[in-house]
Amino acid sequence: MADTQENQIDNKAFTEECHKVLMAMSDALYAIGGKWKLMIIIAMGRGNKRFTEIQRQVAGISARVLSSELKELEMNGFIIKKVENGYPVTIEYELLPYSYTLEEVVAAMTKWGMQHREKVKAEMSAEK
Amino acid sequence: MADTQENQIDNKAFTEECHKVLMAMSDALYAIGGKWKLMIIIAMGRGNKRFTEIQRQVAGISARVLSSELKELEMNGFIIKKVENGYPVTIEYELLPYSYTLEEVVAAMTKWGMQHREKVKAEMSAEK
DNA sequence: CTGTATCCTGGATGATACTG
DNA sequence: CAGTATCATCCAGGATACAG
């Protein structure tokens, strides 16, 4: 009985904690989910600042999509667009400090991605 | 001159490293990207094993989508479907060990998601 | 309860051409 | 170089109904 009550309490707390975690994950996916945002941030973190540089580095992204992703990233405080007047005008994108709060996420995902690639490769050669 | 050469070497190595990281991220996004997979794994990690339990916990997912996501997760070795014969038949899904390799990723993302939520909330109240 | 079958729509993306 | 405009396409996912 006491056991049953405790279990109910535990389950309730557990469910609430689960909701919190799921909500956090949902928030994260909303902000940085999708096919490109993290990859753009990685490329920029490696020193790519110009539109064309980023596009070359992030294989497969089109100008239209890169343009709209950069706008979203700017709106959400991850990057800033800098326009230098001159001949010709020079445009550079830079990471803002908020991008660096993603370092752990990026590190964890890339590490996992590398392990996963190894696993898939091993399976490929295993099955004939 | 030597400086220029060294820079070229550095840049080349740097670009290659960037490619590796981007490829790893791309692999990871391919396997666990999308709106639902990580959330399903979180819910299952909290003890939800039945189809309906998972659907209730992962707010907003439809039966059709959950069904197809579970199939993909099973194909990719993240979960296993267990069928217990009885009256009625009981079906449970369980995380396989490979799901636990995602722990760091999940932890990093949920932590970031919580911080992000706080930041957004702070901005909301700031701008009247 | 645990799904599957259909139908359908919006938004994301690709392709291509064009501009300052 | 750094994009924008336009059009066509595709598919994830929602809604609903149904089935074992």
Side-chain angles (χ1 to χ4, degrees), chain A residues 28 31-32 37-38 41 73 78 97-109, chain B residues 25 108-109 112-113 115-116:
Chain A
I32 56 169
K37 290 197 179 60
L38 286 177
I41 288 176
L73 288 171
F78 291 107
Y98 197 52
S99 282
Y100 294 99
T101 65
L102 288 168
E103 266 174 0
E104 268 184 59
V105 171
V106 169
M109 288 191 68
Chain B
M25 178 59 82
M109 287 191 68
W112 188 87
Q115 288 172 358
H116 181 65

Side-chain angles (χ1 to χ4, degrees), chain B residues 36 40 51 55 58-70:
Chain B
W36 303 114
I40 292 169
F51 190 91
Q55 194 183 4
V58 180
I61 196 168
S62 69
R64 191 178 63 76
V65 171
L66 177 55
S67 174
S68 81
E69 296 282 295
L70 288 172

Side-chain angles (χ1 to χ4, degrees), chain A residues 88-112:
Chain A
V89 170
T90 305
I91 297 171
E92 292 191 341
Y93 294 90
E94 277 178 23
L95 294 183
L96 290 175
Y98 197 52
S99 282
Y100 294 99
T101 65
L102 288 168
E103 266 174 0
E104 268 184 59
V105 171
V106 169
M109 288 191 68
T110 56
K111 182 179 158 196
W112 189 87

Side-chain angles (χ1 to χ4, degrees), chain A residues 14-56:
Chain A
F14 212 59
T15 299
E16 277 170 15
E17 195 267 353
C18 182
H19 264 113
K20 258 188 212 164
V21 173
L22 283 173
M23 182 166 302
M25 177 60 80
S26 179
D27 290 345
L29 289 173
Y30 185 78
I32 56 169
K35 213 168 160 183
W36 302 116
K37 290 197 179 60
L38 286 177
M39 297 186 65
I40 292 169
I41 288 176
I42 290 172
M44 291 182 63
R46 292 321 200 276
N48 300 286
K49 297 170 179 300
R50 309 296 301 276
F51 189 91
T52 311
E53 272 177 358
I54 299 170
Q55 195 184 1
R56 196 179 328 118

Side-chain angles (χ1 to χ4, degrees), chain B residues 16-112:
Chain B
E16 276 170 17
E17 196 268 352
C18 183
H19 265 112
K20 259 188 210 162
V21 173
L22 283 173
M23 182 165 301
M25 178 59 82
S26 179
D27 290 346
L29 289 173
Y30 185 78
I32 56 168
K35 211 168 162 182
W36 303 114
K37 290 197 178 61
L38 286 176
M39 296 185 67
I40 292 169
I41 288 176
I42 289 173
M44 292 182 62
R46 293 321 201 275
N48 300 286
K49 297 170 178 301
R50 309 297 301 276
F51 190 91
T52 311
E53 273 178 356
I54 299 170
Q55 194 183 4
R56 195 181 328 118
Q57 202 68 216
V58 180
I61 196 168
S62 69
R64 191 178 63 76
V65 171
L66 177 55
S67 174
S68 81
E69 296 282 295
L70 288 172
K71 272 177 196 156
E72 276 188 62
L73 288 171
E74 194 182 7
M75 279 189 2
N76 292 326
F78 290 108
I79 67 174
I80 188 171
K81 177 178 184 172
K82 292 198 170 172
V83 181
E84 291 274 335
N85 291 311
Y87 304 98
V89 170
T90 305
I91 297 171
E92 292 191 341
Y93 295 90
E94 277 178 24
L95 294 183
L96 290 175
Y98 197 53
S99 281
Y100 294 99
T101 64
L102 287 168
E103 267 174 359
E104 267 185 59
V105 171
V106 169
M109 287 191 68
T110 55
K111 182 179 157 196
W112 188 87

Side-chain angles (χ1 to χ4, degrees), chain B residues 114-127:
Chain B
M114 288 177 195
Q115 288 172 358
H116 181 65
R117 167 170 286 256
E118 290 308 310
K119 183 209 164 206
V120 171
K121 201 195 297 173
E123 285 172 359
M124 298 282 283
S125 57
E127 62 188 43

